[in-house]
Amino acid sequence: MKKILSSTTALVALGVAGVAMAPASASAAELRFMCYSDGNECEVYDDVIDRFEEANPGVTVVVDTVPYQAILENLPVQLAAGEGPDIAKVTDLGGLNEYYLDLEPYVDAGYWQESFGGTLDWYRGGADRQGIYGMHSQLTVTGAFVNATLFEQAGVDLPGAGATWEDWAAASRAVSEATGAPFPMAIDRSGHRVAGPAISYGAALFNDDGEAILVDDGFQAFVQQFVDWHEDGTIARDVWAGQGGATYQDAAQEFINGDLVFYYSGSWQVSRMNDQVGDFFDWQVIGSPCGPAGACSGMPGGAGIVAFAETEYPEEAAALIDFLAQEDVYAEVAARTRNLPAHLGVAGAGVSFEDVSPAAQAALNGFAGSLPDIAPAAFAYQGYAGNRAMYGITVERVSQAIVGELTVEEAMERARADLEAAMSN
């Protein structure tokens, strides 16, 4: 029977320096870590995990870097078939809870609660669940990137604080017309990405009893505006209309190429902008515009690292995640990957992000500064175990309205029926 010495695990987890580590069990434990990167996350994890392996002879960790689409589509199928990895970086935080290993028997629960607070709830899959099921590795916030150089060339002022979605649409169209930039605006093809704007238009997403409803007057009002902007050329059509089903598509490359004035995505794109835009043009983050409901809300989110209950090596898998959760290791990873920290101790101390331009540093600070504007409904939506189904329904039905297969009213009626069917399963 395999085991890893508890003294070794505790010392590694606590990051104790200058203490001789007791040798781990001679039995070999190979952990497979399925990882995707927005920037350099998997590369950095592979590097810091070397230290864990050195302190735990006999334990090896293989970091399998995969496209994000594999996390969304392939991983759930593998888990359902009992063929998943030991560990993975995931974004469907509560939705995959049935497969997670509860880390609580293997870690210091007090430290985890103090360090990760409310994000632990996102992994529990329901308000009545207890336990520690994942480490939130990167906190994200949705918001807009703007090409400040195009605004300057067009002689158009950037809308100021409190500017609405309509204000930014008008300004972006004016910049596009003056400069010849092909696309005024784009929003990632993602149900998560349009949730913040919908909330700002009055969407509640849940009823008074906390039950998911998705479509209400506020949600439909935003969808109508979104479809109208596709029809009049304000929003780059191919991002949403050029894909089928619930397939994810971003517009980062169009922004990087200088073809897009206003790009609504999120903080995970900062590293990419830092590396690929360079000094090609000046860019900045402006947070989330405001809607007619008075909110200026983005969506929180991000990714986390979880272990799966079917792993042959639960103690080792838990020890690895606990190692990554320790404040010094977590802070190092946040600095090197240029991601906002969910670890409260790291966030409180501040992060000196490595190898970032002044624009990237300002962008990360801007995203962090927008957290107080996020509406309670957005936090509830991010933690809801059924949100993946709701995101998919949103993308499929809104896309049908954009391409003219359905009217907005018909698409929203179909979305209601879709949600009812999904919730009954």
Side-chain angles (χ1 to χ4, degrees), residues 85-107:
D86 301 281
I87 298 168
K89 181 183 172 193
V90 300
T91 56
D92 187 4
L93 308 180
L96 295 175
N97 172 271
E98 63 183 292
Y99 302 110
Y100 296 162
L101 173 71
D102 185 359
L103 306 177
E104 188 165 6
Y106 308 101
V107 302

Side-chain angles (χ1 to χ4, degrees), residues 146-220:
V146 296
N147 186 322
T149 296
L150 288 177
F151 272 87
E152 183 178 357
Q153 290 173 349
V156 175
D157 291 334
L158 291 168
T164 66
W165 277 97
E166 288 81 359
D167 294 334
W168 278 103
S172 298
R173 283 194 300 266
V175 170
S176 176
E177 292 167 2
T179 62
F183 309 115
M185 302 178 81
I187 300 179
D188 290 340
R189 191 175 195 263
S190 161
H192 177 274
R193 222 69 76 241
V194 299
I199 289 168
S200 298
Y201 271 68
L205 303 175
F206 302 92
N207 63 22
D208 292 340
D209 295 324
E211 299 169 332
I213 57 170
L214 185 59
V215 178
D216 57 10
D217 289 345
F219 190 88
Q220 185 162 326

Side-chain angles (χ1 to χ4, degrees), residues 218-228 394 398 401 408 411-412:
F219 190 88
Q220 185 162 326
F222 172 74
V223 173
Q224 184 65 65
Q225 179 66 85
F226 194 49
V227 170
D228 290 346
T394 298
V398 172
V408 169
M412 295 300 93

Side-chain angles (χ1 to χ4, degrees), residues 23-41:
S25 168
S27 62
E30 181 180 272
L31 301 174
R32 308 291 302 205
F33 177 9
M34 181 183 283
C35 181
Y36 81 91
S37 286
D38 293 309
N40 63 343
E41 289 89 359

Side-chain angles (χ1 to χ4, degrees), residues 66-119:
V66 300
Y68 179 52
Q69 206 66 26
I71 300 292
L72 290 181
E73 298 178 358
N74 299 349
L75 178 61
V77 175
Q78 293 175 8
L79 293 171
E83 299 174 352
D86 301 281
I87 298 168
K89 181 183 172 193
V90 300
T91 56
D92 187 4
L93 308 180
L96 295 175
N97 172 271
E98 63 183 292
Y99 302 110
Y100 296 162
L101 173 71
D102 185 359
L103 306 177
E104 188 165 6
Y106 308 101
V107 302
D108 179 349
Y111 169 82
W112 275 72
Q113 184 61 52
E114 181 181 355
S115 299
F116 293 100
T119 62

